[in-house]
Amino acid sequence: MKPPLVLTQKQLISGLSLILAALFLLSLFIGSNPIPLFQAAGDALLDTPSVIALIFTEIRLPRTLIALVTGATLGLCGAAMQGLLRNPLASPGLIGSASGAALGAVCMLYFGLSSAVPMALPAGGMIGALAATLLVYLLAGREAGTLTLILAGIAINAMALALISLLLNLAPSPYAVQEIVLWMMGSIANRSMDDFQIMLPGILLGWFLLMGTGRSLDALTLGEETATTMGFNLPQLRWRIFIAIALAVGSAVSITGAIGFIGLVVPHLLRPLVNHQPSRLLLASAIGGAILLLAADICVRLFPAGTDIKVGVITSLVGAPFFLYLIIKSRRSLL
Amino acid sequence: MRPLLITLLLLCLLSSQSAAQPPRVVSINLCTDQLLLMLAEPQQIASISYLALEPNSSFMAEQAKQHSINHAKAEELLTLKPDLILASEYSDRALISLLQKLGHQVETFPLPSSIEGIQGNITRMAQLLGQEERGQQLIKQMDQRLDKIARQQPAVRPKALFYQPNGYTSGENTLQNTALQLAGWRNLAAELGTQGYRAIDIETLLLAEPEQLFTSSYAPGSQSRAQQQLLHPALKRVTAGREMIEIDYKQWICGGPMVADAVEQLHQSLPK
């Protein structure tokens, strides 16, 4: 297949970064009430205690930052997973990492542990994500075809969802049951800088682990045997990527809930632009994921105040038709 | 002969009921439970709802312990052979029409959002129970406490707002609004045009610059995202570091004379 656009990595990354920067700024401008943003930023920088500075630093900035790092995490992890499993449908959402993370976070939050130890929340997410990912991987087998992997993913997703719903029903808080939508669809509304700080360490560690895997993933496109003879340690690579995904997706989902389809769609859209090279796809997908989630979250905020639409509704509305398109396109190989 | 006897008997029964104090009163709603416990002779109370025992929501939880409880199920209510059944206007419609069809007297009470509404409910309940004097006494005590606070109003009313889990606030036509105003606060939610209980957007809340936030926990000690929203750091910063003040839920989940407790507490938390 010929790439539709011939771009160097530098051009692609700078182009995507420009779009991301524009969306970042736009995201700060959009809220339920118009505020003079530059004055707000000025007040915040000069430590002038004003309400607009408060809205800027405590409401809009954390929301924008959380959307940015969560989107980047999902895009990056999707690209790494598709590279590792050499499977176009692998992604944190379909493989169960995200719903496993949500289950882990639910265990920690509703039964009081995370209010005593804040870091218990992302830790729960990490453990849940790792457990779900490993289960799917073991169920489907190492050389799993697309269909087997998806079926194993569906089983684990369904199991995690059922357990989340059970736990929320058993939770002491009367508000818990209504919050199942939040964990299934994901939301970034009303999060604070504290939440951002809680999710950041795991995410950064995960990114760091993933960024070094490019060359191994490139080699893996030639097949496992070839990659092994080239001197790449595949079991080590596998563990490294699974742990990185657990760290990053676990931390992100424990704050935002499972936001669907970003990890699936973004690597697909960008793959032709990086000449199908996994090492180039990683960074591009990270920026692409951040762009998609920021754009979706801006969309959510454009609805009139009081309509509490979850950001995952938008990403799924975009992602589900795309998923169908992928299925139709690869139907012959599935059958 | 027999039909005549039965008619006579029925007449006797009916007249004895309407004459004064119905001997077997059943309440199936927390709000009517509490008024019943305040006004009736203990012997009059056949059963109250299980919620009356719940210490976070029931102001009369202690007194409720002496009575048998129900779960508002038709079968258990019928075996109690009640003379009078008390319910709220939000009680199960189907259950109420079933009970009425079976010939029971069911009285439904509205949920008041004003002091006049509370007085009306007390008066009506007292009449139904044949305890008019106790009703008047209860209203008089409440009015005296509220009058005392009405005489100590601050020169400038500070700005307050109710903030509940999931970002719910109390606007016009709510008991919280009435209590805030009586205590000497401005209720920003009402000023922003909020009607009843509505979610308020956090940016809108901050821009209104409340001086004090109040909340009322329904389930203290439990955890959820909805409840965590009350811990958002921006809320404390906008009120210049003042902590959110907690008012007991049981003082106004139902409109009753205990609203005076809430008004007094709100009044005491006015900045000195």
mmCIF file of all heavy atoms in Angstrom, chain A residues 28-65:
data_model
loop_
_atom_site.group_PDB
_atom_site.id
_atom_site.type_symbol
_atom_site.label_atom_id
_atom_site.label_comp_id
_atom_site.label_asym_id
_atom_site.label_seq_id
_atom_site.Cartn_x
_atom_site.Cartn_y
_atom_site.Cartn_z
ATOM 1 N N LEU A 28 -8.820 25.713 26.906
ATOM 2 C CA LEU A 28 -8.790 26.621 28.058
ATOM 3 C C LEU A 28 -9.836 27.723 27.921
ATOM 4 O O LEU A 28 -10.303 28.288 28.906
ATOM 5 C CB LEU A 28 -7.400 27.246 28.194
ATOM 6 C CG LEU A 28 -6.293 26.286 28.606
ATOM 7 C CD1 LEU A 28 -4.951 26.990 28.580
ATOM 8 C CD2 LEU A 28 -6.560 25.726 29.994
ATOM 9 N N PHE A 29 -10.198 28.035 26.661
ATOM 10 C CA PHE A 29 -11.167 29.105 26.436
ATOM 11 C C PHE A 29 -12.598 28.653 26.672
ATOM 12 O O PHE A 29 -13.480 29.469 26.886
ATOM 13 C CB PHE A 29 -11.053 29.615 24.989
ATOM 14 C CG PHE A 29 -10.079 30.742 24.833
ATOM 15 C CD1 PHE A 29 -8.821 30.533 24.297
ATOM 16 C CD2 PHE A 29 -10.426 32.026 25.241
ATOM 17 C CE1 PHE A 29 -7.923 31.573 24.163
ATOM 18 C CE2 PHE A 29 -9.532 33.070 25.104
ATOM 19 C CZ PHE A 29 -8.269 32.839 24.566
ATOM 20 N N ILE A 30 -12.829 27.339 26.569
ATOM 21 C CA ILE A 30 -14.215 26.881 26.560
ATOM 22 C C ILE A 30 -14.646 26.376 27.932
ATOM 23 O O ILE A 30 -14.040 25.494 28.511
ATOM 24 C CB ILE A 30 -14.406 25.781 25.501
ATOM 25 C CG1 ILE A 30 -14.016 26.397 24.175
ATOM 26 C CG2 ILE A 30 -15.825 25.238 25.522
ATOM 27 C CD1 ILE A 30 -14.642 25.867 22.990
ATOM 28 N N GLY A 31 -15.686 27.009 28.427
ATOM 29 C CA GLY A 31 -16.247 26.598 29.713
ATOM 30 C C GLY A 31 -17.688 27.034 29.738
ATOM 31 O O GLY A 31 -18.194 27.548 28.738
ATOM 32 N N SER A 32 -18.354 26.830 30.898
ATOM 33 C CA SER A 32 -19.771 27.164 30.939
ATOM 34 C C SER A 32 -19.995 28.673 30.932
ATOM 35 O O SER A 32 -21.064 29.140 30.587
ATOM 36 C CB SER A 32 -20.391 26.552 32.182
ATOM 37 O OG SER A 32 -19.672 26.980 33.301
ATOM 38 N N ASN A 33 -18.976 29.429 31.334
ATOM 39 C CA ASN A 33 -19.104 30.883 31.320
ATOM 40 C C ASN A 33 -17.888 31.471 30.626
ATOM 41 O O ASN A 33 -16.777 30.990 30.835
ATOM 42 C CB ASN A 33 -19.154 31.437 32.754
ATOM 43 C CG ASN A 33 -20.375 30.945 33.496
ATOM 44 O OD1 ASN A 33 -21.453 31.464 33.345
ATOM 45 N ND2 ASN A 33 -20.196 29.889 34.294
ATOM 46 N N PRO A 34 -18.087 32.515 29.798
ATOM 47 C CA PRO A 34 -16.916 33.141 29.169
ATOM 48 C C PRO A 34 -16.114 33.906 30.221
ATOM 49 O O PRO A 34 -16.683 34.664 31.000
ATOM 50 C CB PRO A 34 -17.538 34.096 28.140
ATOM 51 C CG PRO A 34 -18.942 34.311 28.573
ATOM 52 C CD PRO A 34 -19.360 33.141 29.402
ATOM 53 N N ILE A 35 -14.823 33.664 30.277
ATOM 54 C CA ILE A 35 -13.989 34.459 31.191
ATOM 55 C C ILE A 35 -12.830 35.047 30.385
ATOM 56 O O ILE A 35 -12.406 34.455 29.391
ATOM 57 C CB ILE A 35 -13.447 33.634 32.388
ATOM 58 C CG1 ILE A 35 -12.533 32.502 31.918
ATOM 59 C CG2 ILE A 35 -14.552 33.100 33.258
ATOM 60 C CD1 ILE A 35 -11.698 31.905 33.029
ATOM 61 N N PRO A 36 -12.341 36.215 30.766
ATOM 62 C CA PRO A 36 -11.184 36.797 30.065
ATOM 63 C C PRO A 36 -9.948 35.958 30.359
ATOM 64 O O PRO A 36 -9.333 36.102 31.417
ATOM 65 C CB PRO A 36 -11.086 38.209 30.637
ATOM 66 C CG PRO A 36 -11.800 38.165 31.935
ATOM 67 C CD PRO A 36 -12.820 37.083 31.848
ATOM 68 N N LEU A 37 -9.595 35.090 29.418
ATOM 69 C CA LEU A 37 -8.608 34.046 29.699
ATOM 70 C C LEU A 37 -7.219 34.606 29.956
ATOM 71 O O LEU A 37 -6.527 34.160 30.871
ATOM 72 C CB LEU A 37 -8.574 33.046 28.550
ATOM 73 C CG LEU A 37 -7.780 31.815 28.921
ATOM 74 C CD1 LEU A 37 -8.604 30.895 29.782
ATOM 75 C CD2 LEU A 37 -7.285 31.083 27.705
ATOM 76 N N PHE A 38 -6.795 35.578 29.139
ATOM 77 C CA PHE A 38 -5.417 36.058 29.285
ATOM 78 C C PHE A 38 -5.245 36.792 30.605
ATOM 79 O O PHE A 38 -4.232 36.667 31.282
ATOM 80 C CB PHE A 38 -5.029 36.926 28.087
ATOM 81 C CG PHE A 38 -4.967 36.121 26.826
ATOM 82 C CD1 PHE A 38 -5.912 36.291 25.830
ATOM 83 C CD2 PHE A 38 -3.989 35.141 26.660
ATOM 84 C CE1 PHE A 38 -5.881 35.520 24.681
ATOM 85 C CE2 PHE A 38 -3.947 34.365 25.516
ATOM 86 C CZ PHE A 38 -4.895 34.554 24.520
ATOM 87 N N GLN A 39 -6.298 37.525 30.985
ATOM 88 C CA GLN A 39 -6.265 38.177 32.293
ATOM 89 C C GLN A 39 -6.222 37.121 33.402
ATOM 90 O O GLN A 39 -5.476 37.263 34.377
ATOM 91 C CB GLN A 39 -7.502 39.053 32.444
ATOM 92 C CG GLN A 39 -7.421 40.031 33.606
ATOM 93 C CD GLN A 39 -8.781 40.659 33.879
ATOM 94 O OE1 GLN A 39 -9.613 40.797 32.981
ATOM 95 N NE2 GLN A 39 -9.009 41.019 35.130
ATOM 96 N N ALA A 40 -6.997 36.057 33.213
ATOM 97 C CA ALA A 40 -7.017 34.973 34.196
ATOM 98 C C ALA A 40 -5.636 34.344 34.321
ATOM 99 O O ALA A 40 -5.131 34.123 35.433
ATOM 100 C CB ALA A 40 -8.047 33.916 33.802
ATOM 101 N N ALA A 41 -4.997 34.075 33.167
ATOM 102 C CA ALA A 41 -3.660 33.486 33.190
ATOM 103 C C ALA A 41 -2.676 34.435 33.851
ATOM 104 O O ALA A 41 -1.814 34.018 34.637
ATOM 105 C CB ALA A 41 -3.219 33.160 31.772
ATOM 106 N N GLY A 42 -2.821 35.739 33.545
ATOM 107 C CA GLY A 42 -1.962 36.750 34.162
ATOM 108 C C GLY A 42 -2.121 36.759 35.675
ATOM 109 O O GLY A 42 -1.147 36.698 36.426
ATOM 110 N N ASP A 43 -3.383 36.783 36.125
ATOM 111 C CA ASP A 43 -3.667 36.763 37.568
ATOM 112 C C ASP A 43 -3.050 35.540 38.212
ATOM 113 O O ASP A 43 -2.475 35.599 39.303
ATOM 114 C CB ASP A 43 -5.182 36.739 37.809
ATOM 115 C CG ASP A 43 -5.808 38.110 37.590
ATOM 116 O OD1 ASP A 43 -5.034 39.046 37.293
ATOM 117 O OD2 ASP A 43 -7.038 38.228 37.708
ATOM 118 N N ALA A 44 -3.196 34.385 37.522
ATOM 119 C CA ALA A 44 -2.684 33.136 38.081
ATOM 120 C C ALA A 44 -1.160 33.191 38.200
ATOM 121 O O ALA A 44 -0.594 32.763 39.212
ATOM 122 C CB ALA A 44 -3.111 31.958 37.209
ATOM 123 N N LEU A 45 -0.510 33.736 37.177
ATOM 124 C CA LEU A 45 0.957 33.808 37.198
ATOM 125 C C LEU A 45 1.452 34.770 38.264
ATOM 126 O O LEU A 45 2.471 34.531 38.913
ATOM 127 C CB LEU A 45 1.483 34.232 35.819
ATOM 128 C CG LEU A 45 1.466 33.143 34.747
ATOM 129 C CD1 LEU A 45 1.863 33.710 33.399
ATOM 130 C CD2 LEU A 45 2.409 32.008 35.148
ATOM 131 N N LEU A 46 0.731 35.875 38.439
ATOM 132 C CA LEU A 46 1.159 36.880 39.420
ATOM 133 C C LEU A 46 0.624 36.577 40.816
ATOM 134 O O LEU A 46 0.823 37.363 41.734
ATOM 135 C CB LEU A 46 0.669 38.264 38.984
ATOM 136 C CG LEU A 46 1.244 38.761 37.655
ATOM 137 C CD1 LEU A 46 0.540 40.035 37.208
ATOM 138 C CD2 LEU A 46 2.739 38.998 37.779
ATOM 139 N N ASP A 47 -0.084 35.437 40.936
ATOM 140 C CA ASP A 47 -0.642 35.048 42.233
ATOM 141 C C ASP A 47 -1.663 36.041 42.762
ATOM 142 O O ASP A 47 -1.810 36.200 43.975
ATOM 143 C CB ASP A 47 0.481 34.848 43.273
ATOM 144 C CG ASP A 47 0.597 33.379 43.653
ATOM 145 O OD1 ASP A 47 -0.330 32.629 43.305
ATOM 146 O OD2 ASP A 47 1.607 33.002 44.274
ATOM 147 N N THR A 48 -2.351 36.740 41.842
ATOM 148 C CA THR A 48 -3.429 37.632 42.276
ATOM 149 C C THR A 48 -4.643 36.773 42.594
ATOM 150 O O THR A 48 -5.071 35.988 41.750
ATOM 151 C CB THR A 48 -3.814 38.610 41.145
ATOM 152 O OG1 THR A 48 -2.617 39.094 40.554
ATOM 153 C CG2 THR A 48 -4.658 39.752 41.660
ATOM 154 N N PRO A 49 -5.191 36.878 43.801
ATOM 155 C CA PRO A 49 -6.332 36.018 44.106
ATOM 156 C C PRO A 49 -7.613 36.536 43.450
ATOM 157 O O PRO A 49 -8.264 37.426 43.981
ATOM 158 C CB PRO A 49 -6.424 36.078 45.633
ATOM 159 C CG PRO A 49 -5.765 37.370 46.007
ATOM 160 C CD PRO A 49 -4.812 37.745 44.914
ATOM 161 N N SER A 50 -7.960 36.032 42.283
ATOM 162 C CA SER A 50 -9.218 36.423 41.643
ATOM 163 C C SER A 50 -9.968 35.159 41.252
ATOM 164 O O SER A 50 -9.376 34.094 41.104
ATOM 165 C CB SER A 50 -8.953 37.281 40.407
ATOM 166 O OG SER A 50 -8.380 36.502 39.384
ATOM 167 N N VAL A 51 -11.279 35.301 41.094
ATOM 168 C CA VAL A 51 -12.086 34.129 40.771
ATOM 169 C C VAL A 51 -11.721 33.595 39.399
ATOM 170 O O VAL A 51 -11.671 32.379 39.194
ATOM 171 C CB VAL A 51 -13.585 34.472 40.810
ATOM 172 C CG1 VAL A 51 -14.399 33.224 40.549
ATOM 173 C CG2 VAL A 51 -13.955 35.064 42.120
ATOM 174 N N ILE A 52 -11.444 34.497 38.447
ATOM 175 C CA ILE A 52 -11.131 33.992 37.102
ATOM 176 C C ILE A 52 -9.813 33.221 37.125
ATOM 177 O O ILE A 52 -9.670 32.226 36.413
ATOM 178 C CB ILE A 52 -11.133 35.127 36.044
ATOM 179 C CG1 ILE A 52 -10.279 36.314 36.482
ATOM 180 C CG2 ILE A 52 -12.548 35.568 35.728
ATOM 181 C CD1 ILE A 52 -10.103 37.340 35.388
ATOM 182 N N ALA A 53 -8.867 33.678 37.956
ATOM 183 C CA ALA A 53 -7.611 32.920 38.069
ATOM 184 C C ALA A 53 -7.896 31.538 38.654
ATOM 185 O O ALA A 53 -7.304 30.540 38.250
ATOM 186 C CB ALA A 53 -6.624 33.677 38.943
ATOM 187 N N LEU A 54 -8.811 31.500 39.612
ATOM 188 C CA LEU A 54 -9.181 30.231 40.243
ATOM 189 C C LEU A 54 -9.806 29.280 39.218
ATOM 190 O O LEU A 54 -9.477 28.092 39.169
ATOM 191 C CB LEU A 54 -10.181 30.533 41.367
ATOM 192 C CG LEU A 54 -10.430 29.442 42.388
ATOM 193 C CD1 LEU A 54 -9.148 29.115 43.115
ATOM 194 C CD2 LEU A 54 -11.495 29.889 43.370
ATOM 195 N N ILE A 55 -10.701 29.813 38.398
ATOM 196 C CA ILE A 55 -11.330 28.985 37.363
ATOM 197 C C ILE A 55 -10.265 28.486 36.385
ATOM 198 O O ILE A 55 -10.274 27.325 35.979
ATOM 199 C CB ILE A 55 -12.430 29.782 36.626
ATOM 200 C CG1 ILE A 55 -13.607 29.996 37.571
ATOM 201 C CG2 ILE A 55 -12.874 29.056 35.355
ATOM 202 C CD1 ILE A 55 -14.745 30.778 36.981
ATOM 203 N N PHE A 56 -9.313 29.367 36.067
ATOM 204 C CA PHE A 56 -8.250 28.981 35.142
ATOM 205 C C PHE A 56 -7.374 27.868 35.726
ATOM 206 O O PHE A 56 -7.192 26.826 35.103
ATOM 207 C CB PHE A 56 -7.408 30.221 34.808
ATOM 208 C CG PHE A 56 -6.219 29.927 33.923
ATOM 209 C CD1 PHE A 56 -6.375 29.719 32.567
ATOM 210 C CD2 PHE A 56 -4.939 29.865 34.465
ATOM 211 C CE1 PHE A 56 -5.294 29.441 31.753
ATOM 212 C CE2 PHE A 56 -3.846 29.582 33.667
ATOM 213 C CZ PHE A 56 -4.025 29.367 32.305
ATOM 214 N N THR A 57 -6.887 28.061 36.947
ATOM 215 C CA THR A 57 -5.906 27.110 37.483
ATOM 216 C C THR A 57 -6.542 25.855 38.078
ATOM 217 O O THR A 57 -5.934 24.799 38.063
ATOM 218 C CB THR A 57 -5.034 27.748 38.583
ATOM 219 O OG1 THR A 57 -5.906 28.266 39.588
ATOM 220 C CG2 THR A 57 -4.157 28.844 38.045
ATOM 221 N N GLU A 58 -7.757 25.969 38.617
ATOM 222 C CA GLU A 58 -8.317 24.830 39.349
ATOM 223 C C GLU A 58 -9.375 24.069 38.554
ATOM 224 O O GLU A 58 -9.756 22.968 38.931
ATOM 225 C CB GLU A 58 -8.930 25.289 40.679
ATOM 226 C CG GLU A 58 -7.935 25.924 41.632
ATOM 227 C CD GLU A 58 -7.085 24.898 42.367
ATOM 228 O OE1 GLU A 58 -7.397 23.698 42.291
ATOM 229 O OE2 GLU A 58 -6.110 25.312 43.002
ATOM 230 N N ILE A 59 -9.919 24.661 37.515
ATOM 231 C CA ILE A 59 -10.977 23.982 36.756
ATOM 232 C C ILE A 59 -10.511 23.676 35.331
ATOM 233 O O ILE A 59 -10.450 22.522 34.917
ATOM 234 C CB ILE A 59 -12.274 24.835 36.699
ATOM 235 C CG1 ILE A 59 -12.686 25.299 38.088
ATOM 236 C CG2 ILE A 59 -13.389 24.071 35.989
ATOM 237 C CD1 ILE A 59 -13.179 24.232 39.015
ATOM 238 N N ARG A 60 -10.163 24.724 34.584
ATOM 239 C CA ARG A 60 -9.901 24.504 33.153
ATOM 240 C C ARG A 60 -8.540 23.876 32.898
ATOM 241 O O ARG A 60 -8.424 22.979 32.067
ATOM 242 C CB ARG A 60 -10.011 25.835 32.401
ATOM 243 C CG ARG A 60 -11.424 26.360 32.500
ATOM 244 C CD ARG A 60 -11.778 27.260 31.374
ATOM 245 N NE ARG A 60 -13.106 27.796 31.596
ATOM 246 C CZ ARG A 60 -13.579 28.863 30.998
ATOM 247 N NH1 ARG A 60 -12.823 29.517 30.125
ATOM 248 N NH2 ARG A 60 -14.801 29.285 31.244
ATOM 249 N N LEU A 61 -7.515 24.332 33.607
ATOM 250 C CA LEU A 61 -6.185 23.773 33.370
ATOM 251 C C LEU A 61 -6.121 22.280 33.719
ATOM 252 O O LEU A 61 -5.667 21.488 32.900
ATOM 253 C CB LEU A 61 -5.134 24.595 34.137
ATOM 254 C CG LEU A 61 -3.697 24.392 33.683
ATOM 255 C CD1 LEU A 61 -3.527 24.747 32.217
ATOM 256 C CD2 LEU A 61 -2.742 25.228 34.527
ATOM 257 N N PRO A 62 -6.587 21.872 34.903
ATOM 258 C CA PRO A 62 -6.540 20.423 35.178
ATOM 259 C C PRO A 62 -7.343 19.600 34.177
ATOM 260 O O PRO A 62 -6.909 18.533 33.749
ATOM 261 C CB PRO A 62 -7.117 20.285 36.588
ATOM 262 C CG PRO A 62 -7.627 21.601 36.980
ATOM 263 C CD PRO A 62 -7.019 22.623 36.097
ATOM 264 N N ARG A 63 -8.501 20.113 33.783
ATOM 265 C CA ARG A 63 -9.332 19.367 32.839
ATOM 266 C C ARG A 63 -8.586 19.185 31.512
ATOM 267 O O ARG A 63 -8.552 18.083 30.949
ATOM 268 C CB ARG A 63 -10.638 20.128 32.607
ATOM 269 C CG ARG A 63 -11.566 19.382 31.693
ATOM 270 C CD ARG A 63 -12.970 19.932 31.749
ATOM 271 N NE ARG A 63 -13.849 19.041 31.006
ATOM 272 C CZ ARG A 63 -15.170 19.071 31.083
ATOM 273 N NH1 ARG A 63 -15.766 19.940 31.856
ATOM 274 N NH2 ARG A 63 -15.897 18.225 30.383
ATOM 275 N N THR A 64 -7.969 20.263 31.040
ATOM 276 C CA THR A 64 -7.236 20.200 29.777
ATOM 277 C C THR A 64 -6.035 19.259 29.891
ATOM 278 O O THR A 64 -5.788 18.438 29.004
ATOM 279 C CB THR A 64 -6.782 21.615 29.390
ATOM 280 O OG1 THR A 64 -7.934 22.450 29.339
ATOM 281 C CG2 THR A 64 -6.091 21.629 28.053
ATOM 282 N N LEU A 65 -5.300 19.375 30.997
ATOM 283 C CA LEU A 65 -4.123 18.521 31.178
ATOM 284 C C LEU A 65 -4.511 17.047 31.285
ATOM 285 O O LEU A 65 -3.843 16.177 30.724
ATOM 286 C CB LEU A 65 -3.356 18.954 32.433
ATOM 287 C CG LEU A 65 -2.603 20.282 32.312
ATOM 288 C CD1 LEU A 65 -2.038 20.704 33.664
ATOM 289 C CD2 LEU A 65 -1.483 20.172 31.281
#
